Amino acid sequence: MSAATEAGAEGDGPAAPAGYWAPGSRILWRYRENGGPHLHIVRPVTVVRDDADLLAVWLAPGTDCVKPVLADGTPVHLEPLVSRYTKPRTVQRDRWFGTGVLKLARPHQPWSVWLFWDPGWRFKNWYVNLEEPLTRWEGGVDSEDHFLDISVHPDRTWHWRDEDEFAQAQRDRLMDTRLAERVRKAGRAAVAEIRAWGSPFADGWEHWRPDPSWPVPSLPGDWDRTPAHVSS
């Protein structure tokens, strides 16, 4: 049985051990703003699997989320790159449209792997999101995005994404040389996993499907609360 199949079967089993969320639990997957202390991306998700080796969560279509926008409401991606990270920002509530996303993260690893599908559950690609290792708290997990990403296709080809944003973030001093090199090192390690076709790419997660009985998680009013306890 593949890891993906095992995860799908866990929902009918015993409760998860202390310290882990049981399948079907609803938590928050959050990102801090770059160069600041505030949260600017918040996504309610449903736990698929959580254990010492892996946290897998499902971001369902139609989920109410929090996302960054410019202070005048302009979507961030519409702002020219040269001023994208320097103009004042705020956050707004929005809804996750399109197909859902399965997110996979291993403890202490400086990236997570996301799976995307086209309509009709036609698998599209894996997406390696380079980021700070997730920190866990009682209501979910927090991280900080590192701009640089990798797309991995079903034929096992891959390519870097957002290298222009990664370079601009350095010019705008959102990351120093030391952090940038650490991110590049993490990227090279992720590429080695891709080339070896290791976990999670070889684990069959593209065949996973969410439990149809799961409700779409709601966004709590205190989505920006400070965790009382945080662990790595």
Side-chain angles (χ1 to χ4, degrees):
M1 182 181 287
S2 70
T5 305
E6 287 178 352
E10 275 186 293
D12 297 325
Y20 297 115
W21 292 294
S25 301
R26 293 183 288 279
I27 64 172
L28 297 177
W29 186 294
R30 311 191 301 184
Y31 289 97
R32 296 179 300 275
E33 63 185 347
N34 300 95
H38 303 294
L39 295 161
H40 73 154
I41 295 174
V42 181
R43 296 167 180 164
V45 294
T46 302
V47 174
V48 174
R49 169 182 160 186
D50 185 32
D51 54 39
D53 299 317
L54 184 75
L55 171 64
V57 303
W58 171 242
L59 173 59
T63 301
D64 283 328
C65 302
V66 171
K67 71 173 187 179
V69 294
L70 299 187
D72 64 2
T74 300
V76 170
H77 71 276
L78 295 181
E79 180 65 21
L81 187 60
V82 67
S83 53
R84 185 174 300 170
Y85 302 126
T86 55
K87 280 197 172 181
R89 291 190 180 192
T90 186
V91 296
Q92 71 177 28
R93 293 181 64 148
D94 202 355
R95 187 162 292 182
W96 187 271
F97 290 103
T99 58
V101 181
L102 180 66
K103 299 187 176 190
L104 311 174
R106 289 187 285 190
H108 313 298
Q109 196 167 56
W111 67 80
S112 57
V113 178
W114 306 357
L115 283 78
F116 289 88
W117 288 265
D118 286 325
W121 286 104
R122 181 172 165 275
F123 183 64
K124 184 178 180 182
N125 67 284
W126 295 270
Y127 181 93
V128 179
N129 195 72
L130 296 169
E131 59 191 30
E132 284 294 318
L134 296 179
T135 54
R136 300 168 63 100
W137 55 286
E138 62 273 13
V141 292
D142 291 352
S143 182
E144 182 175 314
D145 184 75
H146 284 158
F147 300 97
L148 190 63
D149 307 296
I150 307 168
S151 276
V152 185
H153 304 285
D155 64 0
R156 302 191 184 187
T157 60
W158 61 274
H159 65 272
W160 295 104
R161 292 178 58 106
D162 305 322
E163 289 186 283
D164 56 345
E165 295 186 1
F166 183 62
Q168 187 65 45
Q170 293 171 70
R171 287 192 290 269
D172 291 334
R173 299 183 180 181
L174 294 179
M175 57 171 55
D176 58 23
T177 302
R178 185 175 179 180
L179 175 57
E181 179 49 39
R182 182 157 59 88
V183 174
R184 278 292 187 189
K185 182 179 180 181
R188 291 191 293 269
V191 167
E193 295 257 9
I194 296 165
R195 287 175 169 159
W197 208 244
S199 184
F201 308 104
D203 294 342
W205 285 103
E206 64 271 26
H207 305 299
W208 174 87
R209 300 293 182 266
D211 186 330
S213 70
W214 286 344
V216 175
S218 59
L219 181 69
D222 60 347
W223 54 263
D224 59 345
R225 64 189 180 274
T226 301
H229 172 72
V230 175
S231 64
S232 58

